[in-house]
Amino acid sequence: SGGPNPTTAEDVYAQLKGRVALIFDGGKHSGRQASTIVDCQSQEPLLLRKGPIPFEDILNIWRRA
């Protein structure tokens, strides 16, 4: 919060190292919109921040896994 939005998985790791369990590397992000952040620690994912990946898409994949 308050810093530049990371545009690569490496940038995310540099900012959050040790504070998240998993980072999906989808390639370089345009930086136009902040990334989607989801808490997956419970039975159902919880949207923490809306981003370019629709939460409904995440839920659909989660439920198929």
Side-chain angles (χ1 to χ4, degrees):
S1 179
N5 284 334
T7 57
T8 66
E10 290 81 13
D11 293 342
V12 172
Y13 180 79
Q15 288 185 14
L16 301 177
K17 55 186 162 203
R19 293 185 288 173
V20 295
L22 181 66
I23 299 169
F24 284 105
D25 186 350
K28 186 169 176 74
H29 185 277
S30 69
R32 290 188 204 127
Q33 183 181 12
S35 59
T36 305
I37 298 179
V38 179
D39 180 343
C40 297
Q41 298 181 73
S42 300
Q43 290 283 92
E44 283 285 311
L46 174 66
L47 180 65
L48 299 179
R49 182 173 71 194
K50 184 177 178 182
I53 301 173
F55 187 54
E56 190 60 38
D57 290 355
I58 293 168
L59 287 176
N60 287 336
I61 292 168
W62 177 272
R63 291 175 181 147
R64 284 187 285 167

